């Protein structure tokens, strides 16, 4: 499915999500062009995870619209989800499945042909250095290996939009570097990445654009130099602290 | 009164509270409490009726006490089997205890607290058996009935000590990992052992009307002799019971500590062998097959779930036992098949549909939710229906009509039990047993009761139909309504599963 040019990869329009009295996401607007690398920052409880879950279809917005490659997620959820991959903050694994069985299951869910899926799995496992553990039960993997496996599962169906919630949790320096490089390479080929993180360094180095949210509202958005100009400070850390201090 | 943090009682209460919460009861509504209280009172009433009933064969106090002693024992034995699952978790699960072990609390105290918790869990079944009888007896002017409290506690302590001793011996003999597996097998095999016991007992019991010819009855008589005497107010017997129980606990606590510690330091699952299969596995892409294998692998590879699965047929034994007494084995078998099918489908349905382990994954999948639920239903129902068909065939060889009834009611029970799960799912996470969904109340006692009644209704329907009592069909007809009622009751069925 190739969308016509000009259609944003991801579009959130006035999205609201309430949990009882708490407004976790408050009229949020986001617009990501294809091939964009976007970082979502915010203090704990700002609503980052909730936003990403709204995009992935795990939650339904109370108001507003979510569009993935121009497809309305509420009206055609299956068509909207097909090009999307989501890696939640907790890797969504089955403890008692072997690593390779898990990949088989995920590939089946996205209807990837068996041969293509097996080939891709071999590539991904090799690249993520999980090859030796392919017959291990998921529950026996270390936290970092689980994170890698979740990433491999997300990439096995060749998504066009990748949504990652704190993707580098638990990864060692080598793996983190490799994942970062790989994601950058993929975005150059047209993959759109939206990720949340607390590691400002990562956001600073990777992200083309950065959004800061607090109390579910978008406080600031733009390239790093734009944010610097607006909030002052030399590093993203200063920008983040200034922006969130002004917001509360 | 404030308990000293870290003290034994504090640990026990803390543990019980966590266990209670992990059942989903974070907040108990007034209506839930009312229903539980009503049920409890009903049990008291039933016990009082049994004690008062003049035509009953135990209308003297001594006979009633003997029956009470029997209840204590059976209750404790039952719990010994079901509770043993808990014991294996209690003793063998490292991660749960990691916090306690990393604290400066003495290991002995941690072990003691675990033993006491296990004892309380074993004893708790008596809330439905011995406690109502004891209270009712005391209220009717026989204060001696209250002795059931210490006696049942002593029995629970003995059972707890027995399992612990066994676990310790296995750890010494086999090493931690294999002992753990052996324990699971043992716990899983308990229902079969129970079944054999019932049949042996029934077979031998037919010889003499009071069952004195059966060796199991005699064994039970020997086992119960002291508790029974203690219940009649024999101070010596009571003291002996308590002393033996305390001694058993002390001995086990003393000698089980080392194996216990060893087991905590060994990870729960042995690492999978790295044996690379030479032939590359051909991947499947049929979603039905993928779900079938995924659901069953995740259940059968988790001993806790697998053992509980194999224990489901236990309840159905009641029907077989009844049928042996009433000498209509075919009807009893049909009822047992329907009951088992319903229980299995209900258990499997709640595991696969409500307790999906990775709802976050399935939520993001480009497959309609309805299709996912259908796939899960197939994964649950296909093996259950196959088992029902096989069992019904065996019954049909003896009595074709009963076989047909067993097939129909077995399928009916399985379908309605799954339908309840689809109509009103109750999301909880399988791994942590904490609920994943927001804003959804846990299943109320009324829901649970209605599901039990529905399955029981199918079993009773099968019983009546197989015996050509046509109004039995009326019962079946009524329980068909339960899934619809559940669906109607389920207020926020939208997007609560997370997928
Ligand atoms: N299922 C839920 N039920 C009720 N409240 C929720 C639920 N999920 C999130 N919240 C609340 O919504 C708010 C936003 O949470 P969210 O998880 O989106 O924050 P976050 O930005 O991801 O934080 P962190 O940086 O800690 O991951 C929090 O106040 C949280 O308590
Ligand atoms: Mg988060």
């Amino acid at each position: 499915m190739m969308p016509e040019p000009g259609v944003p990869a991801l579009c959130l329009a006035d999205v609201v999500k309430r949990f009882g009295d708490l407004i976790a996401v408050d009229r949020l607007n986001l617009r990501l062009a294809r091939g964009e690398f976007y970082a979502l920052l915010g203090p704990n409880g700002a609503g980052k995870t909730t936003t990403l879950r709204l995009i992935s279809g795990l939650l339904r917005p109370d108001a507003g619209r979510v569009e993935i490659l121009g497809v309305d997620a509420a009206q055609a959820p299956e068509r909207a989800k097909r090009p999307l991959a989501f890696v939640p903050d907790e890797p969504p694994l089955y403890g008692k499945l072997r690593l390779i069985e898990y990949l088989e299951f995920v590939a089946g869910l996205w209807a990837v042909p068996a041969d293509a899926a097996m080939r891709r799995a071999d590539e991904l496992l090799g690249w993520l250095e999980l090859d030796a553990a392919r017959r291990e039960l998921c529950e026996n993997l270390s936290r970092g290996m689980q994170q890698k496996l979740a990433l491999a599962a997300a990439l096995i169906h060749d998504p066009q939009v990748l949504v990652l919630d704190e993707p580098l949790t638990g990864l060692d320096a080598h793996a983190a570097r490799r994942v970062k490089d790989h994601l950058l390479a993929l975005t150059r080929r047209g993959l759109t990445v939206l990720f949340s993180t607390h590691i400002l360094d990562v956001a600073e180095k990777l992200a083309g654009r950065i959004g800061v949210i607090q109390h579910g509202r978008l406080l600031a958005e733009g390239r790093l130099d734009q944010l610097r100009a607006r909030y002052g400070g030399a590093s993203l850390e200063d920008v983040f602290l200034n922006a969130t201090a002004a917001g509360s | 009164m404030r308990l000293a943090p870290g003290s034994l009682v504090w640990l026990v209460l803390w543990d019980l509270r966590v266990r209670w919460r992990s059942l989903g009861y974070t907040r108990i509504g007034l209506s839930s409490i009312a229903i539980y209280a009503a049920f409890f009172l009903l049990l008291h009433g039933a016990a009082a009726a049994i004690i008062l009933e003049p035509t009953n064969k135990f209308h003297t106090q001594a006979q009633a006490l003997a029956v009470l002693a029997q209840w204590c024992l059976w209750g404790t034995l039952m719990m010994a089997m079901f509770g043993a699952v808990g014991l294996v978790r209690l003793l063998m699960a490292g991660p749960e205890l990691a916090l306690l072990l990393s604290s400066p609390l003495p290991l002995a105290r941690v072990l003691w607290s675990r033993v006491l918790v296990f004892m309380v869990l074993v004893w708790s079944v008596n809330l439905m058996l011995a406690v109502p009888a004891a209270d009712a007896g005391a209220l009717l002017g026989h204060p001696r009935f209250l002795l059931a409290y210490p006696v049942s506690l002593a029995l629970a302590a003995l059972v707890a000590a027995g399992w612990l001793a066994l676990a310790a011996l296995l750890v010494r003999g086999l090493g931690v990992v294999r002992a753990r597996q052996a324990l699971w097998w043992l716990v899983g095999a308990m229902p079969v052992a129970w079944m054999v016991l019932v049949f042996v007992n029934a077979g031998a019991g037919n010889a003499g009307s009071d069952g004195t010819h059966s060796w199991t009855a005699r064994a039970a008589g020997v086992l119960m002799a002291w508790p029974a005497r203690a219940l009649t107010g024999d101070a010596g017997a009571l003291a002996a019971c308590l002393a033996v129980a305390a001694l058993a606990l002390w001995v086990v606590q003393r000698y089980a500590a080392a194996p216990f510690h060893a087991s905590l330091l060994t990870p729960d699952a042995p690492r999978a062998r790295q044996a690379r299969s030479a032939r590359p596995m051909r991947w499947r892409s049929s979603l039905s097959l993928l779900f079938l294998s995924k659901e069953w692998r995740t259940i059968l590879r988790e001993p806790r779930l697998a053992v509980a699965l194999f224990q489901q047929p236990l309840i159905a034994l009641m029907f077989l036992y009844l049928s042996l007494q009433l000498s209509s084995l075919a009807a009893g078998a049909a009822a047992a098949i329907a009951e088992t099918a319903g229980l299995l489908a209900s258990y499997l349905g709640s595991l696969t549909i409500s307790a999906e382990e990775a709802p976050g994954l399935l939520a993001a999948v480009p497959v309609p939710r309805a299709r996912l639920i259908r796939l899960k239903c197939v994964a649950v129902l296909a093996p259950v229906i196959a088992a029902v068909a096989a069992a019904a065939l065996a019954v049909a060889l003896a009595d074709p009509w009963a076989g047909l009834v067993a097939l129909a009611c077995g399928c009916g029970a399985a379908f309605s039990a799954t339908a309840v799960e689809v109509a009103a799912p109750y999301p909880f996470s399988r791994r942590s047993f904490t609920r994943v969904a927001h804003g959804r109340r846990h299943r109320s006692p009324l829901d649970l009761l209605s599901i039990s009644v529905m399955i029981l209704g199918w079993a009773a329907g099968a019983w009546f139909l197989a015996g050509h009592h046509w109004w039995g069909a009326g019962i079946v007809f009524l329980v068909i309504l339960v899934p619809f009622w559940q669906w109607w009751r389920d207020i926020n069925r939208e997007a609560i599963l997370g997928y």
Side-chain angles (χ1 to χ4, degrees), chain B residues 110-161:
Chain B
V110 174
L111 176 59
W112 259 118
S113 76
R114 293 261 144 171
V115 172
L116 290 180
V117 166
F118 181 53
M119 205 182 104
V120 171
L121 293 181
V122 168
W123 180 82
S124 64
V125 76
N126 279 308
L127 286 175
M128 291 195 292
L129 289 166
V131 165
D135 293 353
L139 285 176
L140 292 174
H142 308 290
R144 267 186 201 170
F145 275 68
L146 288 179
L147 286 172
Y149 281 95
V151 172
S152 59
L153 268 173
L155 283 174
L158 266 177
V159 167

Side-chain angles (χ1 to χ4, degrees), chain A residues 28-52:
Chain A
L28 188 69
N29 288 288
L30 278 184
R31 213 179 152 85
L32 270 69
R34 285 170 60 78
E36 196 167 4
F37 209 125
Y38 190 104
L40 205 54
L41 307 182
N44 292 131
K48 301 181 295 296
T49 298
T50 307
T51 305
L52 302 187

Side-chain angles (χ1 to χ4, degrees), chain A residues 56 58 60 78 81-82 92-96 98 101 104-105 108-110 114-115 117-118 121 132 135-136, chain B residues 271-272 274-275 281-284 287 290 294 297 301-302 356-358 360 363-368 431 494:
Chain A
S56 67
L58 227 135
R60 210 167 291 176
E78 285 78 50
K81 285 179 200 170
R82 186 158 293 283
L93 307 180
Y94 296 99
K96 293 292 179 185
R98 297 187 194 289
E101 293 166 351
E104 180 190 10
F105 182 66
L109 289 174
W110 263 267
D115 293 326
M118 285 174 76
R135 301 208 30 87
E136 193 70 74
Chain B
R271 291 184 80 77
Q274 288 291 312
M281 184 178 65
R282 169 101 186 103
W283 279 17
R284 279 160 295 198
L287 271 185
L290 280 172
K294 172 239 155 189
R297 276 170 177 158
R301 285 178 186 170
E302 174 72 65
E356 163 60 40
E357 203 178 334
V365 159
V367 179
R431 222 172 323 170
E494 287 290 303

Side-chain angles (χ1 to χ4, degrees), chain A residues 19 22 24 42-50 166 198, chain B residues 438:
Chain A
F19 293 116
L22 181 89
N44 292 131
K48 301 181 295 296
T49 298
T50 307
E166 305 187 23
H198 289 296
Chain B
H438 151 78

Side-chain angles (χ1 to χ4, degrees), chain A residues 181-221:
Chain A
D181 290 348
H182 192 70
L183 290 181
L184 274 178
L186 286 176
T187 51
R188 279 195 285 275
R189 279 195 264 146
L191 177 76
T192 312
V193 179
L194 168 64
F195 74 107
S196 79
T197 186
H198 289 296
I199 315 174
L200 300 180
D201 201 33
V202 173
E204 196 167 341
K205 292 224 177 74
L206 289 184
R209 267 196 315 152
I210 293 167
V212 181
I213 65 172
Q214 190 172 26
H215 306 307
R217 276 192 297 271
L218 197 61
L219 287 184
E221 184 182 46

